[in-house]
Amino acid sequence: MDIVVKGRKTEVPERFRKHVAEKLKLEKIQKLDTKVISLDVEVSKEPNPRQADRSDRVEITLHSRGPVIRAEAAAADPYAALDLATGKLEARLRKEHDKRHNRRGNGRLSAAEVVDVVPGVAQLNANGETAAQEAREGVPTTMIGTLEVQGEGPLVVREKTHVAAPMTLDQALYEMELVGHDFYLFVDSDTKEPSVVYRRHAYDYGVIHLRTDPLAGSEPDGAGGALGG
């Protein structure tokens, strides 16, 4: 397996290249992913002095015969950033390894055990239909492109509800990096309002805060009232 270390608009000293080879232990990585081909380590530096505590960024990209796994982190120096990024990479490798391990059958439930163990699981009737299928009988359906819409809508492709504790912006950024997504929905611990952090171009981040409009429930006064006269 090859490890390629490169700088993005910055020079990478030989000492750091050697540290990368020592930090990214090949035996440990290959134990979690036997199909790994190469590792790319990119180092960049943020020139803005106001971001001195996050001025050095390290991004690790693992190429294998499976999905590409990426981890990145920023810190006050490249060595600390490498430590953080390595920890995230190993966490994601362990997660993928556990997925493959479970898919091979270890820890699987039998069909008879699912109803007792999994809450809210669908049960089949004598005709092999779920309760949801029974409820949908007689409801008119409409095709919109390749999607089938039942009733009058609105169309909900997929819906999820998560229970989450309020967190700070820094915690939300860390969680987003940990799961490897381009955005992360959270409840801001300062404002107690829903917010979203997201990855912008290059290495910037953005945040969107949602705030309830106190006038949203009032009826408009019409064009004259809206123009103030």
Side-chain angles (χ1 to χ4, degrees):
M1 182 180 71
D2 297 326
I3 299 180
V4 178
V5 183
K6 57 185 177 181
R8 186 169 179 266
K9 298 181 180 179
T10 186
E11 293 292 331
V12 180
E14 187 62 30
R15 177 189 170 198
F16 183 79
R17 295 178 184 273
K18 292 180 180 179
H19 183 71
V20 169
E22 296 171 357
K23 185 67 179 178
L24 296 173
K25 300 185 182 301
L26 301 183
E27 298 83 0
K28 187 174 184 179
I29 292 175
Q30 290 175 328
K31 189 174 182 180
L32 294 171
D33 189 343
T34 57
K35 299 180 180 180
V36 61
I37 299 173
S38 65
L39 277 170
D40 291 341
V41 180
E42 184 177 272
V43 184
S44 61
K45 193 170 185 67
E46 171 58 55
N48 190 343
R50 289 182 296 180
Q51 298 186 20
D53 59 334
R54 298 172 59 85
S55 60
D56 289 277
R57 178 173 294 274
V58 173
E59 178 178 327
I60 306 174
T61 304
L62 183 147
H63 300 277
S64 71
R65 288 188 288 275
V68 174
I69 298 177
R70 183 175 290 105
E72 60 179 298
D77 64 80
Y79 294 92
L82 176 65
D83 289 344
L84 293 173
T86 301
K88 293 178 182 179
L89 179 70
E90 292 178 354
R92 290 171 190 170
L93 282 172
R94 281 193 294 270
K95 185 177 179 180
E96 290 296 323
H97 177 269
D98 292 342
K99 283 183 180 179
R100 293 192 298 270
H101 184 70
N102 291 334
R103 280 200 295 266
R104 282 195 292 266
N106 294 339
R108 284 185 177 177
L109 299 174
S110 66
E113 296 172 320
V114 170
V115 175
D116 297 327
V117 176
V118 181
V121 67
Q123 299 187 40
L124 300 179
N125 61 15
N127 297 324
E129 297 177 331
T130 65
Q133 288 173 321
E134 288 181 315
R136 287 197 296 265
E137 289 184 359
V139 177
T141 60
T142 305
M143 294 301 297
I144 301 179
T146 59
L147 297 176
E148 182 180 279
V149 182
Q150 296 185 343
E152 297 179 356
L155 173 65
V156 178
V157 178
R158 189 175 184 183
E159 182 177 351
K160 283 188 177 181
T161 301
H162 295 278
V163 178
M167 63 179 65
T168 64
L169 177 59
D170 287 343
Q171 289 174 313
L173 287 171
Y174 175 78
E175 292 294 335
M176 182 181 72
E177 294 289 356
L178 188 62
V179 298
H181 291 171
D182 291 329
F183 70 93
Y184 191 82
L185 175 64
F186 69 104
V187 177
D188 194 298
S189 58
D190 294 329
T191 64
K192 302 300 186 292
E193 294 172 341
S195 304
V196 173
V197 290
Y198 61 95
R199 192 190 310 278
R200 301 179 63 195
H201 296 295
Y203 296 110
D204 295 333
Y205 297 100
V207 58
I208 299 174
H209 300 287
L210 294 182
R211 183 168 299 167
T212 303
D213 185 352
L215 303 178
S218 62
E219 292 293 333
D221 296 329
L227 294 174

